[in-house]
Amino acid sequence: MMEATDELTNASFPTDTTVKTLMNDDSNKNTTKKEVALCMKRNFFFGRTSNRLLTIARGLKMARQLSGNHGAKLVLMAGKWFRFFPQILEPHPDIYLAEDATNYSCEHTMNDRDVYKSFELDIGKEMRELMPLRKLRQNAVEILHNHFNISPPTISSEEVDATSSDPFQQLQRPLPFISVHRRWLEGQCGRYANDSYTIAGRRTTNLCNTSLMNSICELSLSSLPFLAPKVFERSLNNSERTIILFTDGQVPEKDGTFPIQYDTKISVGTCGPRGGDCQMVLEIIMMTLSEYHVGNPVSTVDTIVQGWRGSLPWWQTLGDEPTQDHAAAGMIPSGCFL
């Protein structure tokens, strides 16, 4: 069983949900069955790290809808979910892990593949609640500082929780860099951009049409000013902000236009040589912390980046008339991430 984690005071990730011990009742087979809205069994364990995170968020959303938001609980069943969840996420009060449904009275049961394919669900709230492990949050801040010389901006003592050793508790502003995510999706980026619902659960709109999404599939350094002229005219010409590329490496000629690229080898010391899930989450956290993030609307990774960015305090202070950029939590192109 994982150790309970106290709510993080002033933390950059969500604090409105008190984090409790992740419950695993397999050792108490004789206890009264707990009533839960949704039990999610393993059918396919669909996709990679980001697909799995979206599956959990969609499952939590479904559980709440099915129960009318009253006492909604989600149970993740099967051994692989046991290993994945605790390695990546803090415990969540509405999510249980179990080998089977022995201890639960499941109002509904679905397999994880069908849950994942519920692309139409709005999971912004649920994504903001899924908090990555504290040690991964710390590691991400340290990597940006040690390898890219990116440090938190100077802030007043009133803004800092001086009693905390967690770097996130001292962040009240985004870090001074721009993150860019290039995703080719094994050559399928353009095809997904033309779907009515992308695999990331995003519908095409007037502000985010298929032409724009296709152009992002072909993204290079020189095309950035067309996406956000006010941001990138200064950055490209005057090196005002560091621009770091995060990429799947599938189109090296496009990647090569960016002078600074994140190398997954950097995280080996934290995640180990086979720590794929850990490495991916570290990258997502770093993209979450940037001042602006250029995302791919058809990528599941950027759906998570958008959700986690939306939980940060500097994007929650919207004012009476928030700008489109602010409402999109600094995601570019903003029209695709509203």
Side-chain angles (χ1 to χ4, degrees), residues 4-290:
T5 304
D6 293 331
E7 188 175 63
L8 300 178
T9 305
N10 295 327
S12 294
F13 276 84
T15 58
D16 55 340
T17 301
T18 302
V19 180
K20 301 177 182 178
T21 303
L22 194 66
M23 298 182 66
N24 168 15
D25 293 326
D26 282 355
S27 60
N28 302 312
K29 299 294 185 180
N30 295 322
T31 59
T32 303
K33 288 190 175 185
K34 292 180 173 62
E35 294 185 358
V36 294
L38 177 63
C39 291
M40 189 176 77
K41 62 184 180 180
R42 177 179 177 260
N43 176 51
F44 190 70
F45 197 58
F46 193 87
R48 301 172 182 172
T49 309
S50 56
N51 304 107
R52 299 168 190 175
L53 288 170
L54 290 185
T55 301
I56 296 172
R58 287 171 182 159
L60 184 57
K61 179 74 170 188
M62 279 187 169
R64 288 170 172 171
Q65 288 183 336
L66 292 169
S67 67
N69 266 339
H70 299 294
K73 300 289 182 183
L74 170 69
V75 178
L76 306 177
M77 296 186 291
K80 285 196 174 182
W81 285 113
F82 259 127
R83 292 188 289 274
F84 176 76
F85 193 110
Q87 290 176 354
I88 301 300
L89 299 171
E90 296 284 2
H92 188 288
D94 290 339
I95 300 176
Y96 300 145
L97 299 182
E99 286 285 2
D100 54 45
T102 301
N103 293 339
Y104 300 97
S105 174
C106 304
E107 186 176 354
H108 303 272
T109 300
M110 294 181 65
N111 65 60
D112 48 19
R113 185 185 180 105
D114 289 339
V115 170
Y116 172 77
K117 287 189 171 183
S118 302
F119 299 136
E120 74 284 357
L121 292 177
D122 179 1
I123 55 170
K125 178 180 185 293
E126 286 70 29
M127 203 67 251
R128 290 191 292 272
E129 291 178 10
L130 295 178
M131 185 187 296
L133 289 177
R134 171 175 168 150
K135 69 175 183 179
L136 295 179
R137 306 194 312 261
Q138 291 174 317
N139 292 150
V141 174
E142 292 166 0
I143 287 173
L144 287 169
H145 176 72
N146 295 336
H147 292 273
F148 300 100
N149 198 30
I150 294 172
S151 300
T154 302
I155 56 179
S156 65
S157 58
E158 289 79 13
E159 295 179 281
V160 178
D161 178 7
T163 65
S164 173
S165 61
D166 185 346
F168 266 54
Q169 294 190 13
Q170 301 183 25
L171 296 180
Q172 293 300 311
R173 302 174 191 170
L175 296 183
F177 77 103
I178 296 173
S179 53
V180 177
H181 182 220
R182 265 198 50 79
R183 191 77 173 91
W184 187 237
L185 294 162
E186 292 71 39
Q188 299 299 306
C189 185
R191 181 176 74 81
Y192 290 139
N194 289 288
D195 290 344
S196 57
Y197 273 107
T198 71
I199 58 171
R202 204 173 308 285
R203 183 194 288 273
T204 55
T205 66
N206 291 335
L207 294 175
C208 188
N209 55 39
T210 56
S211 176
L212 176 58
M213 286 196 276
N214 273 287
S215 70
I216 296 171
C217 292
E218 303 289 342
L219 192 67
S220 65
L221 182 67
S222 62
S223 62
L224 292 180
F226 296 99
L227 297 177
K230 292 181 180 179
V231 174
F232 288 107
E233 185 176 339
R234 297 192 309 272
S235 297
L236 293 179
N237 294 336
N238 303 324
S239 300
E240 185 175 315
R241 298 180 183 88
T242 299
I243 299 174
I244 301 178
L245 175 68
F246 298 82
T247 176
D248 57 15
Q250 295 174 10
V251 188
E253 60 270 23
K254 299 286 187 182
D255 295 344
T257 65
F258 292 84
I260 303 177
Q261 298 182 32
Y262 180 80
D263 189 336
T264 56
K265 294 178 182 177
I266 292 173
S267 61
V268 169
T270 299
C271 302
R274 296 172 61 87
D277 290 330
C278 169
Q279 291 171 352
M280 187 71 259
V281 170
L282 277 178
E283 292 186 43
I284 293 173
I285 295 172
M286 285 183 263
M287 290 184 262
T288 296
L289 293 176
S290 63

Side-chain angles (χ1 to χ4, degrees), residues 287-288 290-291 293 305-312 315 329-331:
M287 290 184 262
T288 296
S290 63
E291 186 174 359
H293 175 69
V305 173
Q306 179 186 15
W308 286 357
R309 287 176 74 92
S311 72
L312 300 172
W315 296 122
M331 299 284 288

